[in-house]
Structure formats: C-alpha cells, structure tokens
Amino acid sequence: KMRQEGLIAELIIQDLDEKDAGDYTCVCGEQQTKASLIVKELPPHFRVQLKNEEATEGETVTLQCELSKAIAAAEEWKKGTRTLRASDKYNMRQEGSIAELVICNLDMKDAGNYTCVWGEQHTTAAL
C-alpha cells in the first residue's frame, strides 16, 4: 500500500514475509532514493499444543502437536526425562509441521507426562 501526505511518501507492507526482503526504490519525478529491507525470520512456535489424554489399558493413543511452520530439526519425544525411541510400543511420525507419537497397547505404567521437543520449542501433556 502506498500513501502520500504532503512531501512524505510511504510504502506500507502488511503481513510482512521473508519474500518481501529486497531493495526498494522510490521515484518522484527525476529524483529517486533506495532502501534495502531485511526481514528477520520469527522462530517457530507451537500452533497446536499437546493435549492431556485419557485412555484404557490395551488401547492405542495418539499425541499430536503442530508448529507454526515446518523446520529442519527432527522432533524428540520424552516420557518424563527419558527420551523415547521408536519400537513396537512407540511410533513417531512427522509430516511437515505436525508431529505425532502413537503409544500402542497401553498399560498403567504408560501413565505420565509426555513432551515433544522440536528445535527450541517444547510442549507437554499428561496421559
């Protein structure tokens, strides 16, 4: 959006994005001036946090969270302070900005706090 009030001309860029970075030139008659715009990327945040779940022994439960954007770092899942590894019990999936932990054949010792750590972000829920 361009706006001019008196001798001042403005270019207003709404919903700024990384692709808006670059050189801009303002031309008025035979006069011109240039400016460079650098756009700093915001760190991702959890758009959807993990939610507490209740389930019955023998069932399968899926914990899911979503970042505001996909990042290169792989997510890490923890139960309490213990890092979980893929197995017959635990299945970890990541598609774009969505991460899931599937816990199969639940029993009482599966109750506890589960955390998804993704880059610098983390979210926790109770099962």
Side-chain angles (χ1 to χ4, degrees):
K1 174 178 165 182
M2 292 186 291
R3 175 171 76 183
Q4 184 171 355
E5 290 184 21
L7 299 175
I8 298 174
E10 292 180 317
L11 173 65
I12 301 168
I13 303 171
Q14 297 177 335
D15 298 322
L16 194 65
D17 193 294
E18 291 175 2
K19 63 183 173 246
D20 294 317
D23 295 328
Y24 289 82
T25 303
C26 177
V27 179
C28 184
E30 293 185 20
Q31 300 294 313
Q32 70 178 24
T33 186
K34 293 183 180 187
S36 292
L37 176 63
I38 298 169
V39 179
K40 294 182 180 179
E41 183 179 18
L42 288 173
H45 63 278
F46 278 102
R47 179 180 302 156
V48 178
Q49 303 273 333
L50 289 176
K51 293 180 176 73
N52 294 340
E53 297 284 345
E54 288 186 21
T56 305
E57 284 184 282
E59 289 184 341
T60 295
V61 69
T62 301
L63 301 176
Q64 184 181 78
C65 55
E66 180 179 0
L67 277 178
S68 56
K69 58 185 165 185
I71 61 173
E75 88 280 5
E76 177 183 56
W77 288 93
K78 295 184 175 197
K79 180 180 181 219
T81 58
R82 181 174 59 95
T83 299
L84 301 176
R85 302 281 177 236
S87 65
D88 291 340
K89 183 74 168 171
Y90 302 111
N91 182 10
M92 292 90 166
R93 297 188 291 228
Q94 177 186 342
E95 187 172 322
S97 61
I98 297 174
E100 290 182 338
L101 172 65
V102 180
I103 308 169
C104 302
N105 195 22
L106 290 172
D107 59 37
M108 292 304 291
K109 63 184 175 205
D110 292 318
N113 289 322
Y114 289 82
T115 301
C116 178
V117 180
W118 213 345
E120 298 295 318
Q121 304 297 313
H122 69 276
T123 178
T124 301
L127 174 63

